[in-house]
Amino acid sequence: MDTKQSQKWSSKIYSNGWQTGTEKPHSVVEPATGEQLGTVGVGSSADIARAAEIAAAAQRAWAETTFTVRAEILRKAASLLRQRAEEFTYWNIRECGSIRPKADFELDATYEQLQMAAGMLLQPDGLMYPSTMPGRLNFTRHVPIGVVGVISPWNFPLLLGMRSVAPALAMGNSVILKPDVQSAITGGALIAEIFEEAGLPPGVLHVIPGAAATGDALVRHPKVGMISFTGSTAVGRQIGAICGQTLKKVSLELGGNNVQIVLEDADLDAAASSGAWGSFLHQGQICMQTGRHLVHKSVAKQYAEKLAERAQRLQVGNPFKDQVHLGPLINERQRDRIAGIVKSSVDTGAKVLAGGTYKDLFFQATVLGDVTSDMPVFTEEIFGPVAPITVFENEDHAVELANSSEYGLAAAIHTKSVARGIALASRVRAGMVHINDQTVNNEFHVPFGGMGASGNGGRFGGPANFHEFTQTQWVSAVEKGIQYPF
């Protein structure tokens, strides 16, 4: 594909059409090479304020359209996504450092998100309830929130943006999407293009990349009735506090320090495969990354050898030029943070079993042994291709180690007994637990979310979307007015 800036989105934001943002455009830099690929527009708080007014006005007419119209637009957007798959994948690889299989998976999952959102409109809209008063009709229904603000991250920008945008639009809301500037083409401009081409009315969707101040303006604007945020726990706490003060609905999908528990009866080859996938996919830059490998003492040496062997076979390089397993990290700050965590842990006794080195933004798949629960590589969210192994004595010890983190997003348990795994899952504080599988799991129709510092519950997927992107309204009716005592 030609990277020349012939696209209509070049240096533009999308807000009632393609506009010039009030902030300086952002240069899109390929992390693998440092090459400038183009520019995207950047919005300010003034752009957010303008968008919120337009979105609020446009939402009323959008909510009044029939469900068939909304569903058809969502299905058309899904079809366009498929037709332009190579373009989306190209930008995901070059802009985000994704390997092609990850980019392909993200596109497929996003297509399913759009189809699911269209299908929501064919489902029952509420419930009937009995009444203590004869002749009274009681029912609830889902009504739109109004304007939904979506703040999406750079690691899976297409999927993690669309999983909020699509159901919010389906339920009759207008949306302001603020993608990270590091992934504003894949997770912003191209999304705006397919919805525009699909026939979404002007003003219903706005795409405004920006920095922290832009996101803060979106969170605080009084005409934005809900914020859906995917990102760090630190920023999520701030957003949650602001939304709490203004009684604004908020969905927070935050960080994780996820565990894989390997019991003594586990299939070690399968467990090591799951561990490698969970720790190293997309360079470990995933909230569900397997950040802690907890292994029973009787099989710890064998597991470590198998995991290290897998790590050593993984090729690291430019995914646009070569067929590799790991691409580049997103930026130098991220690289230096990961390297610092590894060094500090090694300095206090952790042993490098594989990797541990980097060149430019290319970090080798790293396995660390002899990791204790007080080391940074155990206590912190790594968000990089590092697999720390910690030994446990028994199930109680494993649960203690697993639950010692403030995070509670995902967990995996490996055992030959599914019944044992299910029983152990009930003791692990995590929003998602996968038995004999890995932590980086996502099925679009199953509620997704974490506990504790990982977020405020299962907010996305299937039935959760109906409640998340609407408000419940109770309606009662009687044929004839009631005469009360006064």
Side-chain angles (χ1 to χ4, degrees):
M1 284 187 59
D2 185 6
T3 61
K4 292 180 181 178
Q5 290 296 284
S6 58
Q7 293 88 349
K8 67 175 73 174
W9 47 258
S10 178
S11 300
K12 303 288 186 182
I13 63 174
Y14 185 73
S15 186
N16 213 23
W18 296 99
Q19 311 286 341
T20 301
T22 54
E23 295 290 334
K24 180 182 177 182
H26 176 77
S27 297
V28 178
V29 175
E30 184 176 33
T33 63
E35 178 186 345
Q36 182 174 330
L37 302 176
T39 57
V40 292
V42 177
S44 66
S45 57
D47 293 308
I48 292 292
R50 174 181 175 273
E53 295 291 340
I54 295 169
Q59 185 270 329
R60 291 188 287 272
W62 173 242
E64 291 173 359
T65 60
T66 64
F67 73 90
T68 54
V69 170
R70 278 181 270 151
E72 179 59 27
I73 289 173
L74 288 162
R75 285 193 293 266
K76 181 67 181 299
S79 176
L80 289 166
L81 180 71
R82 276 275 190 243
Q83 292 173 28
R84 298 173 61 175
E86 187 58 34
E87 181 183 6
F88 275 88
T89 298
Y90 168 89
W91 283 110
N92 204 333
I93 292 170
R94 299 208 69 182
E95 181 184 36
C96 307
S98 303
I99 61 173
R100 176 169 282 273
K102 178 266 188 187
D104 289 341
F105 163 79
E106 186 171 359
L107 186 129
D108 290 342
T110 304
Y111 174 83
E112 297 292 351
Q113 290 280 357
L114 282 161
Q115 294 287 9
M116 180 183 66
M120 289 171 65
L121 291 159
L122 301 175
Q123 300 302 310
D125 181 25
L127 296 169
M128 297 290 296
Y129 291 85
S131 176
T132 56
M133 180 177 292
R136 169 181 275 177
L137 177 68
N138 272 338
F139 65 91
T140 60
R141 60 186 178 187
H142 302 293
V143 298
I145 293 166
V147 181
V148 173
V150 178
I151 302 176
S152 60
W154 49 262
N155 57 340
F156 276 73
L158 178 60
L159 175 60
L160 299 186
M162 194 67 82
R163 74 173 178 184
S164 293
V165 170
L169 291 174
M171 293 292 95
N173 301 287
S174 56
V175 175
I176 302 173
L177 168 63
K178 190 206 82 67
D180 192 296
V181 292
Q182 296 174 106
S183 55
I185 299 174
T186 310
L190 298 183
I191 291 175
E193 281 196 347
I194 62 170
F195 276 112
E196 183 180 51
E197 190 175 345
L200 188 70
V204 175
L205 173 65
H206 303 252
V207 177
I208 304 177
T214 310
D216 185 67
L218 181 60
V219 171
R220 294 179 185 276
H221 198 282
K223 289 200 172 179
V224 177
M226 174 189 172
I227 294 294
S228 178
F229 171 76
T230 303
S232 73
T233 296
V235 176
R237 292 185 197 278
Q238 298 171 14
I239 290 174
I242 295 167
C243 291
Q245 291 168 2
T246 57
L247 302 180
K248 184 176 298 191
K249 196 169 188 179
V250 62
S251 173
L252 302 171
E253 203 270 279
L254 309 176
N257 191 0
N258 311 291
V259 295
Q260 174 164 291
I261 300 173
V262 182
L263 298 176
E264 72 278 4
D265 65 343
D267 178 335
L268 294 184
D269 288 321
S273 176
S274 287
W277 183 264
S279 284
F280 305 136
L281 178 64
H282 197 41
Q283 300 77 263
Q285 299 172 123
I286 307 173
C287 60
M288 298 175 287
Q289 180 216 15
T290 306
R292 295 176 294 160
H293 297 243
L294 309 181
V295 188
H296 189 270
K297 61 181 181 180
S298 65
V299 295
K301 185 174 184 296
Q302 293 170 271
Y303 178 82
E305 289 173 351
K306 291 177 181 292
L307 185 60
E309 182 183 355
R310 288 178 179 273
Q312 289 163 354
R313 292 202 302 261
L314 299 179
Q315 298 297 314
V316 183
N318 182 349
F320 184 63
K321 297 292 186 182
D322 303 305
Q323 188 172 344
V324 297
H325 301 99
L326 281 72
L329 297 171
I330 192 67
N331 56 41
E332 291 182 357
R333 180 170 57 86
Q334 179 75 357
R335 179 203 64 196
D336 293 345
R337 180 182 173 279
I338 296 165
I341 289 173
V342 170
K343 182 179 185 305
S344 178
S345 299
V346 170
D347 287 347
T348 53
K351 182 179 179 182
V352 178
L353 304 180
T357 61
Y358 66 85
K359 182 178 180 182
D360 299 324
L361 296 184
F362 300 102
F363 209 107
Q364 296 293 322
T366 298
V367 178
L368 298 180
D370 298 338
V371 172
T372 58
S373 60
D374 58 346
M375 292 179 181
V377 76
F378 184 95
T379 59
E380 296 185 32
E381 181 183 24
I382 305 167
F383 225 66
V386 181
I389 300 173
T390 301
V391 176
F392 65 83
E393 297 287 329
N394 50 45
E395 282 191 20
D396 289 341
H397 188 204
V399 170
E400 178 187 350
L401 288 170
N403 293 343
S404 64
S405 171
E406 66 171 346
Y407 297 104
L409 186 55
I413 298 170
H414 282 261
T415 172
K416 286 190 171 68
S417 169
V418 171
R420 184 184 183 190
I422 292 173
L424 185 58
S426 67
R427 302 175 62 194
V428 175
R429 191 171 63 97
M432 300 170 287
V433 182
H434 308 291
I435 298 168
N436 293 324
D437 203 347
Q438 39 80 35
T439 57
V440 186
N441 262 303
N442 180 73
E443 293 200 47
F444 63 90
H445 59 288
V446 182
F448 178 104
M451 302 176 180
S454 291
N456 53 353
R459 321 296 289 192
F460 305 103
N465 283 334
F466 287 99
H467 299 287
E468 196 62 18
F469 297 102
T470 64
Q471 299 178 94
T472 300
Q473 183 183 67
W474 170 30
V475 178
S476 72
V478 292
E479 188 67 29
K480 185 179 179 181
I482 303 168
Q483 295 292 329
Y484 286 96
F486 56 89

